[in-house]
């Protein structure tokens, strides 16, 4: 499983597309969608789940096997 922080942004969503092109869809997207239309960047992308950035560390996802965390989030 891959975790992409900032995954709903332009660069993050392009990275997710690249992973999808490699046949990878076990992706957790971590971001905030509170403002704007950033969610539109995720259309057509394959990923397992979306987690709001403020709930990420409290989620049980960190107990699973993680292949890589790709941090593109601003904070």
């Amino acid at each position: 499983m891959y975790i992409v922080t900032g995954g709903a942004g332009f660069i993050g969503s392009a990275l997710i597309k690249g992973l999808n092109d490699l046949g990878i869809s076990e992706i957790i997207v971590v971001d905030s969608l509170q403002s704007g239309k950033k969610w539109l960047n995720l259309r057509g992308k394959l990923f397992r789940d979306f987690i709001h950035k403020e709930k990420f560390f409290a989620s049980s996802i960190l107990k699973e096997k993680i292949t890589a965390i790709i941090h593109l989030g601003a904070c």
Side-chain angles (χ1 to χ4, degrees):
M1 173 180 48
Y2 291 79
I3 296 174
V4 180
T5 68
F10 178 75
I11 295 171
S13 63
L15 174 73
I16 292 170
K17 165 105 174 53
L19 291 170
N20 287 169
D21 290 346
L22 294 172
I24 299 167
S25 61
E26 277 294 307
I27 303 167
I28 303 297
V29 179
V30 180
D31 211 323
S32 171
L33 297 177
Q34 293 176 344
S35 62
K37 296 182 179 182
K38 194 163 59 167
W39 64 271
L40 292 171
N41 293 330
L42 294 173
R43 288 185 306 171
K45 313 298 185 297
L46 301 175
F47 54 93
R48 183 172 131 186
D49 203 357
F50 176 91
I51 299 175
H52 189 275
K53 67 179 187 175
E54 292 178 5
K55 297 182 179 182
F56 175 63
F57 287 112
S59 73
S60 62
I61 231 52
L62 295 173
K63 295 178 182 175
E64 297 185 32
K65 183 176 185 227
I66 299 169
T67 302
I69 297 175
I70 305 165
H71 179 55
L72 299 172
C75 297

